[in-house]
Amino acid sequence: MDDIFLQSRFGRVHCRATGGGRLLFLMHSAGRSAHEFDALAHLLAGRFRVVAWDMPGHGDSDRPQGHVTLPDFADLAVELACALGERPILGGGSVGAAIALAATAGPRAAELGGIVAIEMPLSRNAGWWAANWPMIETMFGCPEEPEARARPRFRDWSPEFAARLAIDRHKAGSHAMMDLLWAGRDDADHVQPRIRALALPALFVNGDRGVAPEAATLLPSLHPAAMLRIVADSGHFPHSDDPQAVARAIEEMFA
């Protein structure tokens, strides 16, 4: 994968890019980086131009001055993606998925070709975030995460993978991670209305041990036309646990 830097109103944005074809712009979860999508990008490179960013405040991108909201991140993602290709597909995992969804309600939504929302919680409203905020602070308030807490979230584990997780969390730091999660908390009550209003092709991908049960229950009532794919034996990161299954779902929907 090639390392590229894009200029934006938040400074330089680092991305990893590969492949050729229709543009798929991917956004990582809190405390991660563009490396989160390396395996998936490799599988899709034959049919898509895959670009994964380090969102501002994470990885090798510049640090924004002040708080950035999820709609701010979404507007930036659309701006960068549309500069790289026509009618790009926005995708992301966890909070990255929430950013992709927020873009569908933004001023340039008509320029997008669709979204891929991986493991986006659908029922976590502002009340859920407030009640569970101590847990969020425990998970993200310190870059050091014990292996005993991190390892169960993934199907496979290796020293190299553990090192990558540690590098990403330390590059972001606790303040950037928590500020991003505040953005998610402040935006949470907009998730379901945005899904109801979706006018773009939308693929939702979940692990059967992640937030899949709520997606299978809620998504048909929120947006019957949205496509849902469940990845077996996977948790909150199906694109890490089974990138082949996620790649197939994306190709079926968009290629």
Side-chain angles (χ1 to χ4, degrees):
M1 296 184 71
D2 298 321
D3 292 288
I4 61 175
F5 284 90
L6 307 175
Q7 294 297 327
S8 80
R9 60 185 180 276
F10 294 121
R12 294 203 316 170
V13 177
H14 172 252
C15 300
R16 291 171 62 75
T18 189
R22 191 174 185 183
L23 184 70
L24 175 62
F25 192 88
L26 297 174
M27 296 171 286
H28 58 80
S29 56
R32 303 288 299 277
S33 74
H35 288 276
E36 181 175 332
F37 296 104
D38 281 0
L40 181 63
H42 174 72
L43 294 170
L44 292 171
R47 305 190 72 172
F48 295 88
R49 174 65 171 168
V50 185
V51 177
W53 78 353
D54 291 343
M55 72 173 63
H58 284 61
D60 294 311
S61 293
D62 286 349
R63 274 46 183 160
Q65 299 298 311
H67 178 65
V68 183
T69 67
L70 246 62
D72 289 337
F73 278 124
D75 290 346
L76 175 64
V78 174
E79 176 184 328
L80 297 178
C82 287
L84 295 172
E86 293 183 1
R87 295 191 61 77
I89 303 159
L90 294 190
S94 193
V95 70
I99 293 171
L101 179 64
T104 67
R108 299 180 65 178
E111 298 178 54
L112 300 176
I115 64 166
V116 180
I118 303 173
E119 275 287 303
M120 183 173 67
L122 304 184
S123 63
R124 295 182 182 179
N125 57 20
W128 182 95
W129 280 94
N132 289 274
W133 198 245
M135 177 269 290
I136 297 295
E137 287 193 313
T138 298
M139 290 184 66
F140 295 98
C142 178
E144 292 287 353
E145 185 175 35
E147 180 177 329
R149 189 172 69 210
R151 188 167 187 167
R153 296 203 299 272
F154 301 93
R155 181 191 296 177
D156 300 316
W157 191 266
S158 68
E160 294 77 15
F161 185 71
R164 181 75 258 166
L165 294 179
I167 289 168
D168 288 347
R169 287 177 66 98
H170 277 272
K171 279 187 174 181
S174 57
H175 186 272
M177 289 190 286
M178 291 303 303
D179 193 63
L180 174 60
L181 290 160
W182 268 112
R185 174 176 172 173
D186 291 341
D187 192 73
D189 286 340
H190 298 288
V191 168
Q192 291 193 15
R194 287 184 186 132
I195 294 174
R196 290 191 183 96
L198 269 173
L200 294 170
L203 170 64
F204 290 77
V205 180
N206 293 80
D208 61 355
R209 294 183 286 105
V211 296
E214 70 169 26
T217 302
L218 284 173
L219 194 57
S221 64
L222 294 172
H223 198 285
M227 182 176 291
L228 174 64
R229 290 290 181 267
I230 304 296
V231 179
D233 188 28
S234 177
H236 196 51
F237 298 95
H239 48 294
S240 296
D241 292 338
D242 194 344
Q244 292 87 355
V246 178
R248 283 195 301 270
I250 293 172
E251 288 178 340
E252 290 171 4
M253 180 78 177
F254 293 105

